[in-house]
Amino acid sequence: MKVLHVAAECYPAAKAGGLGDVVGALPKYLNRIGMQAGVIIPKYGTKWLWEHQFKTIFTGTVRLNRSYIRYSIEQEVDDILGFTLFAVHVPGMFDRPGVYADPTTGYGYSDELERYLVFQQAVLQWLISSAERPNVIHCHDHHTALIPFMTNYCPEYESLAYIPKVLTIHNGVYQGIFSWNNKDLLPYFRTYAAPILDWNGMINSLATGIKCAWRVTTVSYSYMEELSIKSNGLESLIRSEWHKCRGILNGIDNETWNPVTDPRIAYKLKKDVRSFKSYNKLIISEKFRVNPNFPLIVFIGRLVAEKGADLLPDLIFRCAQSGRKVSFVVLGTGDRNLHQSFLHLQWHLQGMFDCSLEYNETLAHQLYAGADFILMPSRVEPCGLNQMYAMRYGTVPIVRAVGGLIDTVWDHGDWEGRGFRFQQFTLDDALHAIDRAISVFHDQKEFARLQAHDMALDFSWDSAAHNYLNLYKELT
């Protein structure tokens, strides 16, 4: 069976968040259980994409209103990722720094709509010309969610209508909404299909994909339930399409995230977990001005409200005011106002707080290896991978009970507890969870038991890959 994953990201070629991690790992594990899985993404101006050799296998032209955009489909030559990687090269549209935004300014590219409409059509034109088509087309998030509609209702692409389409929602906050004034950017579609594109008076890519896909999945069980209750206006649609909706929990790549072999960390795990954590924590304290004798709590990720990053400045300041003996390190980039808040704290709370306002994969690995706790106060967390990475390295999660964090982090007070949860998005709730975590940290025997328990958990892609395989078999 052949499946083609169509996505905006794929680690290590191009990554902005968890979507890239998933698309970079799931196909590899599908191939290991007997499938033929490949990935196609846009060819951005990322270092990885331009340093690796690609060969052109197809060229074509997409009509975009009155313009004709030339593109080429390229295949990575060395096949080093454990799956075949294809890239759509559209000169002038994707060959820029960053994935969705210019990293020098932080502002998103203004032609996102045009870029992903060209990308999706280029993929479909290539598949039509291919002698061997996939048995399943697996679309990821709103960037590719119009593919099921195009193959159903656009005459140019209807020859692909028989191929099952799966749509995975990694983040329902972003829906690819645009005005009907831009409908001419779409390929010609049958007029009776216009209501399928419409949701609340706008063209909504994600809503259209939910209507047209054969199956809709989310990246955890709890997030699927949450979307039926709160999904930025799509609640009734999710409920009406519930018969084809599934929650499949993400996994992590145990080869990339392995404390025994990880080339990105200073000290690798041998036998003694305590020494492994202590040595790596010292490396962190040398780079960041924090006290290595205090419990170290880290935040790793995008500095946006969705991740609860706006709670952090007041939370850290409250801990400092109250005299709690704890250190914080923040790694990430995002909201520029939050950048200023963290820089202010960095100046005033030396020894207790430090930050690195950047995307840095190597530094993230080191923080997982050396920190005592990872803090995830998310407002929305469809699955969350950071808590799984953290537990693999003996870093205990402190999380808000939402989405995939409910499914993966069971509270220390419950049976087989794995971390510390809080319910409400408030300073008091978060501080209470931190206090509980610090209390256990100072009970060396219990904290060592908790670390060992978390490190023994299996969050690998193996079981998730089999769940997807069963889903594909249902459709074919």
Side-chain angles (χ1 to χ4, degrees):
M1 183 187 300
K2 296 181 179 179
V3 59
L4 179 67
H5 292 267
V6 190
E9 301 176 35
C10 177
Y11 177 81
K15 173 187 167 180
L19 168 62
D21 286 320
V22 172
V23 177
L26 175 57
K28 179 165 67 175
Y29 283 81
L30 288 172
N31 285 336
R32 291 180 181 179
I33 58 175
M35 294 194 64
Q36 288 182 262
V39 175
I40 187 164
I41 62 171
K43 192 171 187 182
Y44 304 101
T46 64
K47 182 179 179 182
W48 194 98
L49 283 169
W50 291 95
E51 282 184 347
H52 288 75
Q53 187 178 355
F54 284 77
K55 63 179 180 182
T56 299
I57 59 173
F58 182 77
T59 59
T61 304
V62 168
R63 182 190 65 81
L64 200 65
N65 199 350
R66 297 177 182 177
S67 301
Y68 290 86
I69 312 297
R70 292 197 59 79
Y71 68 87
S72 59
I73 307 291
E74 302 179 359
Q75 179 180 339
E76 198 264 319
V77 172
D78 297 323
D79 206 19
I80 62 173
L81 298 179
F83 55 85
T84 304
L85 177 67
F86 303 95
V88 180
H89 178 35
V90 189
M93 293 195 95
F94 286 104
D95 48 356
R96 311 166 182 168
V99 176
Y100 308 116
D102 186 338
T104 59
T105 65
Y107 292 110
Y109 291 116
S110 60
D111 59 348
E112 178 172 293
L113 172 60
E114 291 85 349
R115 295 206 303 166
Y116 289 106
L117 284 175
V118 170
F119 169 63
Q120 291 173 90
Q121 293 185 75
V123 171
L124 295 179
Q125 289 183 11
W126 167 56
L127 291 180
I128 288 172
S129 72
S130 299
E132 296 185 19
R133 296 175 180 176
N135 301 106
V136 176
I137 298 174
H138 193 146
C139 305
H140 295 267
D141 271 349
H142 75 87
H143 319 93
T144 62
L146 289 175
I147 284 177
F149 173 84
M150 291 179 185
T151 57
N152 283 354
Y153 301 108
C154 296
E156 184 178 356
Y157 307 122
E158 284 177 343
S159 62
L160 300 173
Y162 71 94
I163 300 177
K165 317 298 184 307
V166 176
L167 173 64
T168 294
I169 303 173
H170 296 260
N171 193 333
V173 171
Y174 307 105
Q175 300 178 6
I177 300 171
F178 57 99
S179 167
W180 276 99
N181 294 333
N182 292 318
K183 74 178 189 310
D184 290 337
L185 294 173
L186 292 166
Y188 170 75
F189 58 88
R190 302 192 183 279
T191 53
Y192 64 80
I196 295 171
L197 289 167
D198 188 85
W199 192 256
N200 292 332
M202 301 286 281
I203 297 176
N204 186 310
S205 302
L206 189 62
T208 301
I210 293 169
K211 295 174 187 177
C212 296
W214 296 31
R215 291 288 185 275
V216 177
T217 71
T218 56
V219 290
S220 70
Y221 322 114
S222 294
Y223 188 55
M224 189 83 257
E225 296 282 347
E226 287 179 4
L227 286 179
S228 68
I229 301 168
K230 186 178 180 182
S231 53
N232 294 80
L234 300 183
E235 299 82 6
S236 61
L237 176 60
I238 295 287
R239 290 194 292 269
S240 68
E241 301 287 347
W242 193 252
H243 60 283
K244 64 183 183 185
C245 294
R246 305 277 179 85
I248 299 177
L249 185 67
N250 278 343
I252 63 174
D253 188 339
N254 278 351
E255 294 174 2
T256 300
W257 300 94
N258 187 346
V260 176
T261 60
D262 191 342
R264 296 178 183 267
I265 62 177
Y267 292 93
K268 296 172 179 55
L269 175 64
K270 294 175 182 175
K271 291 184 178 180
D272 185 0
V273 173
R274 186 173 181 178
S275 296
F276 163 73
K277 297 296 291 184
S278 296
Y279 288 139
N280 281 298
K281 189 175 185 180
L282 282 174
I283 295 298
I284 294 172
S285 66
E286 290 172 4
K287 177 173 178 58
F288 297 98
R289 293 171 296 181
V290 293
N291 190 330
N293 298 315
F294 291 171
L296 174 60
I297 301 174
V298 299
F299 176 94
I300 302 170
R302 290 181 294 123
L303 303 179
V304 293
E306 176 192 340
K307 297 295 182 183
D310 53 322
L311 189 70
L312 295 176
D314 288 340
L315 184 66
I316 294 166
F317 187 70
R318 182 86 73 88
C319 284
Q321 272 190 322
S322 64
R324 288 175 172 87
K325 293 184 177 180
V326 59
S327 297
F328 291 88
V329 168
V330 167
L331 172 64
T333 183
D335 185 286
R336 288 318 194 232
N337 291 326
L338 282 175
H339 281 213
Q340 292 303 313
S341 296
F342 288 128
L343 291 173
H344 180 77
L345 289 175
Q346 185 184 46
W347 176 260
H348 289 281
L349 300 180
Q350 294 184 26
M352 179 182 178
F353 171 76
D354 208 344
C355 62
S356 183
L357 303 178
E358 60 174 332
Y359 169 82
N360 188 319
E361 194 76 20
T362 296
L363 190 51
H365 282 243
Q366 186 62 48
L367 288 174
Y368 287 121
D372 300 301
F373 302 97
I374 185 168
L375 178 59
M376 300 178 67
S378 305
R379 283 186 174 86
V380 179
E381 196 61 73
C383 174
L385 297 173
N386 288 11
Q387 77 278 14
M388 301 186 208
Y389 301 150
M391 287 188 274
R392 183 104 165 105
Y393 288 74
T395 296
V396 177
I398 304 171
V399 305
R400 183 163 173 257
V402 63
L405 298 175
I406 296 173
D407 298 332
T408 54
V409 182
W410 304 342
D411 192 79
H412 181 258
D414 298 335
W415 177 78
E416 205 190 332
R418 302 171 176 180
F420 302 88
R421 300 201 321 206
F422 60 99
Q423 296 292 329
Q424 304 302 319
F425 189 80
T426 64
L427 281 175
D428 288 340
D429 257 27
L431 282 167
H432 181 61
I434 287 174
D435 286 339
R436 291 173 58 215
I438 293 173
S439 177
V440 172
F441 173 84
H442 290 298
D443 181 345
Q444 292 188 5
K445 185 177 179 180
E446 174 58 17
F447 191 61
R449 185 206 64 80
L450 180 57
Q451 285 179 312
H453 172 69
D454 285 0
M455 295 177 80
L457 295 170
D458 182 11
F459 289 112
S460 74
W461 269 108
D462 293 322
S463 60
H466 279 94
N467 288 333
Y468 277 109
L469 175 60
N470 292 334
L471 179 69
Y472 300 148
K473 285 181 176 178
E474 285 180 20
L475 299 177
T476 56

